[in-house]
């Protein structure tokens, strides 16, 4: 059994755990309030803005509304860009259709529906709708 500490020996100070106030900066244990910017996020934003065929054709229409002649280089480049994006969009759609097949038809009589949180709100509404259809057990 070790001897009891003497008054002259130094003991480490006790650490007191306090909760940070809401106004204090975040501690390293809390997750960041905004998700980090990743390549996936950037590609998602680009495919919905700069690389979307609708917006590309809208640019062509805007040039035409400004009475840009069909032979102008800006009009030709913009039209070629919109055509290329449209071709890629069609090829991507065909690729997804081949990869995943045709969408299946859903017969709710053959499906099992599990509603979690059916006590209130949207879950209750879904449970009532399936109950009115006679699909609930």
């Amino acid at each position: 059994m070790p001897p009891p500490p003497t008054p002259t020996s130094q003991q480490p100070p006790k650490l007191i755990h306090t909760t940070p106030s809401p106004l204090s900066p975040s501690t390293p244990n809390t997750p960041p309030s905004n998700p980090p910017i990743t390549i996936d996020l950037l590609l998602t934003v680009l495919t919905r803005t700069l690389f979307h065929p609708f917006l590309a054709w809208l640019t062509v229409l805007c040039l035409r509304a400004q009475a840009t002649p069909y032979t102008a280089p800006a009009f030709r480049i913009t039209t070629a860009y919109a055509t290329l994006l449209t071709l890629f969009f069609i090829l991507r759609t065909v690729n997804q259709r081949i990869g995943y097949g045709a969408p299946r038809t859903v017969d709710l009589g053959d499906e099992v529906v599990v509603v979690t949180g059916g006590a209130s709100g949207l879950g209750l509404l879904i449970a009532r709708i399936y109950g009115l259809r006679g699909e609930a057990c």
Side-chain angles (χ1 to χ4, degrees):
M1 179 167 204
T6 61
T8 58
S9 68
Q10 296 227 347
Q11 293 181 354
K14 292 188 176 185
L15 298 176
I16 300 172
H17 180 8
T18 60
T19 57
S21 69
L23 299 177
S24 68
S26 63
T27 60
N29 296 335
T30 59
S33 59
N34 294 330
I37 296 177
T38 61
I39 293 176
D40 290 333
L41 177 65
L42 290 175
L43 286 177
T44 301
V45 170
L46 285 175
T47 56
R48 293 183 183 179
T49 56
L50 189 62
F51 298 143
H52 198 278
F54 177 77
L55 293 176
W57 284 111
L58 193 62
T59 308
V60 172
L61 291 176
C62 288
L63 284 175
R64 195 61 208 132
Q66 293 176 353
T68 305
Y70 292 118
T71 57
F75 188 82
R76 286 185 176 190
I77 291 171
T78 307
T79 305
Y81 178 71
T83 304
L84 185 68
L85 285 182
T86 303
L87 178 67
F88 283 148
F89 183 78
I90 291 170
L91 289 176
R92 185 181 70 189
T93 305
V94 169
N95 183 33
Q96 288 178 348
R97 181 69 180 256
I98 291 171
Y100 296 115
R104 68 181 184 100
T105 57
V106 177
D107 182 17
L108 293 178
D110 295 338
E111 300 292 326
V112 175
V113 178
V114 178
V115 180
T116 59
S120 66
L122 187 59
L124 179 62
L125 179 65
I126 292 171
R128 284 184 180 170
I129 289 173
Y130 280 107
L132 290 173
R133 292 179 58 127
E135 308 274 337
C137 296

